[in-house]
């Protein structure tokens, strides 16, 4: 396990204009996340967890302060540089799966590899590996509409990890799943965290997710109010940066 | 990557089939409307030229000044020489001397007493000269519905509608009562050879057609003709050429030059546009056609632009995902534009093909509008109006088809740059 910081923020703030006033979504957030962590931003709606996740994912820029993700300063990245960073090193998992409905499971998982310009043979190998990790190799030719919610989210996980990114960001990944599927999904991600050494960062207020986290960063009104390490179900790691 | 995007485009009907269908429908309507309006104007022009004015028309200056009254007392004389000169000077046109006349047609009973009498408008045309162009110009063979074509002097063709009204049959005798070019009463006996139906209201109501030499004899117009009409061989009005011919001809007969015999009986040539106020009518029709097509193309463009716009706006969630996965905005935008162009080109090609097929059908078969025309209509509008395909018909549909779809997508795509990436990302969840 490496202990170098994969994410580091200093006095990170984000303000959104709101008519004549401004909404402070993040307020001087200082944070350091080490490689291989399995952590979550926890808090109610409006606490700033999705905003923080967006900045870490280079989808948004801070208003002030700095955020370094995978060694890159988010605030000074151009659109192209941010896209390249996401394409090569960051995976996303969404609340609503967001699979492309016209493509098969295989093609959905294959999409990030196409952007990387990988040749067809290597793509096939990587996609089938990713589908095997999430237990859906036999559904490669199915369309998303033929899958259950849990299976869709597993495809989304396969899509996020197929390029073996160093960082996976998951925004409320279990919000649309029942308890059984939520646990299944979390167990899959814990396993991937262990096997691939991928850092997972969640934004959640789902207790089922919290139970699996090594580290819980509690946000309220855009500030970190608590940063605590916790036991991870079926997880062997015990660390705190 | 291109294959991947193409696969998605073909599989997603809301991105391919439906937009292509909408574009096709809009383009088809545009193409058809263009061909139809074009055909309507062409039909009116051709009918007017065919029966009334020619594409160019040689008359005496005095006749031209009162042409609407058909003043045969001011007709051309020495026509053979003038005709030969016209044929030599302008061989690209067909030249046809005609005498238009009015009069009464008297139908006698068995005892020779008047049974029926009706006013007619007549046309003396060259029916018996070898290579007479009138058979083709007036399409007499196709217009014959009863009886036979004139085979000898003294035979008369009569509009079928008029014949039915007078209850006369082929072979019956008829007397034309009119006035000679010198103002005396003219009486000439004819035999009804056959009945014609031209499909043009004014001709079908009261026309009679006789050989030019018979009418010359009846109206005492030896070697005379009211007009010598010139027709382009492709039966299309070429305005620039008509103007050039007219200018060249008229330059030989300067006005008010008595020494050159250029008095009121000297010939003057006019084009189709300059006769009987036709220029205003044609200009108005052309303007209306442009306005109608312009409004339609604009409306179609707005519809298709809107379709492109909403189609792209609907996909902001997908764009958000693609951006999140690592595709850059420029690539997403370019793929959107290429997609819209593909849809525009496919829809325009299909729409143009269907529009052309439909137009071609109506160019061949036409639509019978005689029921909608007033009985007393005096305009040379054919009963069957046909569409007309011209080179512009092939391309006009591409204007709304490609450009509107392209701009719709291009404008919608700009939204990607205006929105923060995170906002697009957020739209994934909606």
């Amino acid at each position: 396990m490496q202990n170098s910081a994969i994410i580091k923020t200093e006095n990170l703030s984000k303000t959104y204009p709101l008519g004549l006033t401004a909404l402070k979504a993040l307020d001087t957030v200082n944070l350091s996340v080490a490689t291989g962590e399995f952590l979550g931003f926890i808090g109610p709606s409006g606490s700033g967890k999705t905003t923080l996740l967006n900045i870490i994912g280079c989808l948004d820029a801070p208003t002030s302060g700095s955020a370094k993700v995978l060694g890159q300063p988010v605030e000074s990245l151009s659109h192209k540089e941010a896209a390249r960073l996401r394409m090569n090193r960051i995976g996303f998992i969404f609340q609503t799966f967001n699979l492309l409905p016209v493509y098969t499971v295989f093609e959905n998982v294959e999409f990030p590899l196409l952007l990387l310009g990988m040749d067809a043979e290597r793509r096939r190998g990587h996609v089938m590996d990713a589908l095997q990790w999430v237990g859906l190799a036999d559904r490669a030719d199915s369309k998303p509409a033929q899958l259950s919610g849990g299976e869709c989210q597993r495809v989304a996980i396969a899509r996020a990890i197929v390029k073996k990114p160093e960082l996976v960001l998951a925004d409320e990944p279990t919000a649309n799943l029942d308890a059984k599927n939520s646990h299944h999904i979390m167990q899959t991600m814990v396993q991937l965290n262990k096997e691939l050494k991928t850092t997972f960062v969640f934004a959640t207020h789902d207790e089922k997710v919290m139970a699996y986290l090594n580290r819980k960063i509690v946000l309220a009104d855009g500030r970190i109010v608590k940063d605590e390490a916790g036991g991870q179900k079926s997880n062997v790691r015990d660390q705190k940066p | 990557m291109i294959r991947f995007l193409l696969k998605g485009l073909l599989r997603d009907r809301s991105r391919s089939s439906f937009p292509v269908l909408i574009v096709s429908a809009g383009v088809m309507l545009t193409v058809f409307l263009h061909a139809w309006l074009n055909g309507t104007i062409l039909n009116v022009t051709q009918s007017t030229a065919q029966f009334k004015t020619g594409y160019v028309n040689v008359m005496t200056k005095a006749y031209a000044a009162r042409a609407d009254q058909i003043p045969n007392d001011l007709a051309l004389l020495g026509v053979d020489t003038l005709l030969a000169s016209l044929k030599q000077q302008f061989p690209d046109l067909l030249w046809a001397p005609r005498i238009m006349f009015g009069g009464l047609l008297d139908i006698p009973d068995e005892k020779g007493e008047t049974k029926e009498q009706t006013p007619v408008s007549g046309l003396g045309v060259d029916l018996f000269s070898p290579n007479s162009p009138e058979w083709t110009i007036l399409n007499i063979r196709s217009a014959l519905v009863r009886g036979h074509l004139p085979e000898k002097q003294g035979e008369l063709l009569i509009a079928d509608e008029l014949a039915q009204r007078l209850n006369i049959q082929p072979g019956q005798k008829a007397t034309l009562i009119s006035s000679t070019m010198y103002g005396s009463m003219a009486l000439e006996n004819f035999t009804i050879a056959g009945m014609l139906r031209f499909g043009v209201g004014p001709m079908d109501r009261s026309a009679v057609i006789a050989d030019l030499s018979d009418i010359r004899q009846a109206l005492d117009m030896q070697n005379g003709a009211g007009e010598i009409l010139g027709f382009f061989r492709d039966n299309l009005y070429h305005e620039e050429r008509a103007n050039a011919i007219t200018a060249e001809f008229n330059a030989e007969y300067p006005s008010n030059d008595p020494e050159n015999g250029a008095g009121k009986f000297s010939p003057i040539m006019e084009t189709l546009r300059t006769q009987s106020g036709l220029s205003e009518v044609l200009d108005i029709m052309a303007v209306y056609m442009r306005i109608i097509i312009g409004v339609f193309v604009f409306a179609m463009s707005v519809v298709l632009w809107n379709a492109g716009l909403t189609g792209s706006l609907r996909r902001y969630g997908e764009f958000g995902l693609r951006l999140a996965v690592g595709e850059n905005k420029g690539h997403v935008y370019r793929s959107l534009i290429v997609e819209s162009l593909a849809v525009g080109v496919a829809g325009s090609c299909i729409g143009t093909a269907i529009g052309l097929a439909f137009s071609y059908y109506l160019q061949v078969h036409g639509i019978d509008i005689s029921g909608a025309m007033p009985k007393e209509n005096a305009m040379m509008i054919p009963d069957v109006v046909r569409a007309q395909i011209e080179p512009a018909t092939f391309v006009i549909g591409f204007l709304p088809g490609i450009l509107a779809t392209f701009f719709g997508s291009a404008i919608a795509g700009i939204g990607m740059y205006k929105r923060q990436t995170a906002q697009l990302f957020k739209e994934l969840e909606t």
Side-chain angles (χ1 to χ4, degrees):
Chain A
M1 175 76 56
Q2 293 173 3
N3 282 323
S4 59
I6 195 168
I7 301 164
K8 189 167 180 63
T9 70
E10 281 178 5
N11 299 321
L12 181 69
S13 294
K14 178 71 185 178
T15 307
Y16 291 110
L18 197 69
L20 294 173
T21 59
L23 174 74
K24 202 153 203 177
L26 290 176
D27 189 4
T28 54
V29 172
N30 290 295
L31 173 71
S32 181
V33 177
T35 302
E37 278 202 73
F38 199 84
L39 69 92
F41 301 131
I42 295 160
S45 292
S47 58
K49 54 188 190 299
T50 297
T51 304
L52 186 52
L53 207 66
N54 284 344
I55 291 174
I56 293 169
C58 308
L59 293 164
D60 219 340
T63 309
S64 63
S66 68
K68 209 170 224 182
V69 177
L70 295 157
Q72 304 288 320
V74 176
E75 62 277 7
S76 56
L77 288 179
S78 68
H79 280 303
K80 276 189 180 174
E81 288 166 335
R84 204 173 303 127
L85 188 64
R86 285 195 299 272
M87 180 169 73
N88 290 307
R89 303 175 73 181
I90 302 174
F92 285 91
I93 298 168
F94 312 104
Q95 178 182 333
T96 49
F97 328 136
N98 291 303
L99 302 179
L100 298 169
V102 293
Y103 294 104
T104 62
V105 164
F106 183 93
E107 288 161 347
N108 266 282
V109 178
E110 183 188 27
F111 180 52
L113 303 181
L114 284 166
L115 292 174
L116 288 170
M118 196 179 280
D119 64 72
E121 202 176 325
R122 282 183 65 212
R123 280 202 312 267
R124 166 156 283 279
H126 278 63
V127 171
M128 291 316 291
D129 282 351
L131 288 175
Q132 260 158 11
W133 289 329
V134 297
L136 284 174
D138 57 334
R139 306 300 302 270
D141 294 327
S142 302
K143 290 274 180 69
Q146 298 167 308
L147 305 179
S148 68
E151 286 173 323
C152 281
Q153 194 59 300
R154 279 150 65 195
V155 175
I157 294 169
R159 180 178 61 192
I161 52 135
V162 69
K163 60 192 174 189
K164 294 182 183 157
E166 291 147 76
L167 175 65
V168 171
L169 304 173
D171 192 4
E172 306 281 9
T174 57
N176 287 337
L177 300 178
D178 57 27
K180 188 182 161 197
N181 270 310
S182 296
H183 286 298
H184 191 175
I185 291 298
M186 289 312 296
Q187 279 161 5
T188 304
M189 288 196 272
V190 167
Q191 196 183 345
L192 289 167
N193 170 246
K194 282 195 290 182
E195 288 180 9
L196 302 176
K197 311 291 182 232
T198 306
T199 306
F200 278 80
V201 178
F202 295 84
T204 186
H205 54 251
D206 184 349
E207 287 183 3
K208 294 189 291 292
V209 175
M210 292 179 213
Y212 286 88
L213 299 175
N214 280 147
R215 184 180 168 196
K216 300 175 189 120
I217 296 170
V218 182
L219 291 162
D221 298 327
R223 286 172 168 272
I224 294 177
V225 293
K226 199 191 280 181
D227 186 348
E228 61 177 15
Q232 187 187 61
K233 276 188 183 176
S234 312
N235 195 346
V236 291
R237 292 183 308 122
D238 181 16
Q239 47 75 43
K240 187 174 176 182
Chain B
M1 188 69 188
I2 293 168
R3 242 178 80 189
F4 183 83
L5 293 172
L6 196 65
K7 219 185 285 180
L9 178 66
L10 294 176
R11 284 182 196 165
D12 188 351
R13 287 186 183 174
S14 64
R15 276 163 61 195
S16 52
S17 309
F18 296 143
V20 166
L21 222 83
I22 293 169
V23 173
S24 300
V27 168
M28 184 201 76
L29 287 172
T30 307
V31 167
F32 172 68
L33 185 74
H34 182 266
W36 179 252
L37 289 177
N38 195 37
T40 305
I41 291 184
L42 186 76
N43 290 169
V44 172
T45 310
Q46 281 180 335
S47 289
T48 305
Q50 187 183 10
F51 297 109
K52 212 171 169 183
T53 61
Y55 294 119
V56 292
N57 189 353
V58 180
M59 303 161 272
T60 65
K61 284 175 182 155
Y63 186 102
R66 298 174 183 81
D68 53 329
Q69 297 167 27
I70 316 173
N72 280 331
D73 53 325
L74 305 172
L76 292 161
L77 293 174
V79 165
D80 286 352
T81 313
L82 183 57
L83 188 62
S85 153
L86 284 167
K87 282 179 179 172
Q88 192 184 5
Q89 196 174 355
F90 307 110
D92 50 334
L93 273 77
L94 296 170
W95 294 100
R98 284 185 188 174
I99 298 173
M100 291 173 72
F101 59 94
L104 290 172
L105 195 66
D106 186 275
I107 310 297
D109 61 12
E110 302 80 31
K111 295 173 188 169
E113 302 292 331
T114 296
K115 184 177 81 174
E116 294 281 356
Q117 206 172 61
T118 188
V120 291
S121 61
L123 214 52
V125 300
D126 182 6
L127 294 176
F128 296 124
S129 295
N131 306 322
S132 167
E134 292 287 20
W135 294 98
T136 315
I137 293 167
L138 291 171
N139 213 7
I140 295 171
R141 287 186 184 89
S142 306
L144 186 75
V145 290
R146 282 194 290 157
H148 60 85
L149 296 170
E151 290 159 354
K152 55 181 187 294
Q153 303 293 149
E155 289 191 326
L156 188 73
L157 292 165
I158 181 169
D160 190 46
E161 198 180 314
L162 178 63
Q164 286 183 24
R165 212 166 56 235
L166 297 173
N167 194 25
I168 52 177
Q169 301 300 325
Q172 268 190 259
K173 299 288 180 196
T175 303
L176 174 68
I177 304 167
S178 187
S179 67
T180 68
M181 85 179 280
Y182 304 106
S184 315
M185 190 172 188
L187 288 168
E188 189 75 19
N189 290 326
F190 288 94
T191 302
I192 306 292
M195 285 71 181
L196 301 173
R197 189 173 188 289
F198 288 109
V200 177
M203 292 298 289
D204 288 339
R205 273 199 305 277
S206 61
V208 293
I209 293 180
D211 181 54
L212 184 67
S213 59
D214 286 338
I215 299 303
R216 278 174 172 167
Q217 186 183 313
L219 306 186
D220 202 4
M221 294 172 69
Q222 294 315 306
N223 202 14
E227 304 163 20
I228 301 174
L229 305 185
F231 294 88
F232 290 108
R233 290 174 189 273
D234 59 2
N235 199 24
L236 293 173
Y237 180 50
H238 304 283
E239 189 161 16
E240 279 183 27
R241 178 70 184 133
N243 287 336
I245 291 170
T246 305
E248 188 181 334
F249 181 84
N250 289 338
E252 293 172 21
Y253 299 92
S255 55
N256 303 320
D257 184 2
E259 283 190 13
N260 286 330
K264 67 177 184 177
F265 290 108
S266 64
I268 184 169
M269 188 185 281
E270 292 192 354
T271 64
L272 179 140
R273 278 180 67 85
T274 53
Q275 296 176 69
S276 315
L278 267 176
S279 92
E280 286 83 1
V281 173
L282 289 175
D283 284 346
I284 288 168
M285 285 176 82
V287 167
Y288 275 121
M289 177 177 156
R290 283 191 203 111
I291 289 172
I292 291 169
I293 290 177
V295 166
F296 192 78
V297 167
F298 178 74
M300 244 334 120
S301 300
V302 171
V303 169
L304 298 181
W305 172 78
N306 194 41
L309 188 71
T310 49
S312 303
L313 289 175
R314 195 179 56 79
R315 295 175 58 199
Y316 270 17
E318 177 203 326
F319 298 154
L321 171 74
R322 287 166 64 177
L323 294 172
V325 172
E327 204 171 346
N328 72 54
K329 285 183 179 181
H331 191 270
V332 176
Y333 188 67
R334 280 195 298 279
S335 73
L336 176 71
I337 296 296
V338 170
E339 229 175 74
S340 76
L341 283 175
V343 165
V345 168
S348 298
C349 289
I350 294 169
T352 300
I354 297 172
L356 284 173
F358 196 39
S359 302
Y360 181 71
Y361 178 83
L362 286 180
Q363 185 169 312
V364 174
H365 298 286
I367 293 177
D368 189 345
I369 58 161
S370 57
M373 297 299 287
K375 285 285 176 199
E376 59 283 356
N377 163 47
M379 285 181 75
M380 291 291 177
I381 299 174
D383 290 349
V384 177
V385 177
R386 296 166 199 277
Q388 178 65 37
I389 295 168
E390 62 170 27
T393 320
F394 286 84
V395 293
I396 192 152
F398 283 82
L399 201 69
I402 295 179
L403 289 184
T405 315
F406 168 79
F407 281 119
S409 298
I411 290 169
I414 287 170
M416 274 194 297
Y417 289 96
K418 299 274 183 203
R419 275 172 159 78
Q420 288 295 314
T421 307
Q423 183 59 31
L424 282 165
F425 186 68
K426 206 172 172 183
E427 285 173 31
L428 282 170
E429 311 297 338
T430 57

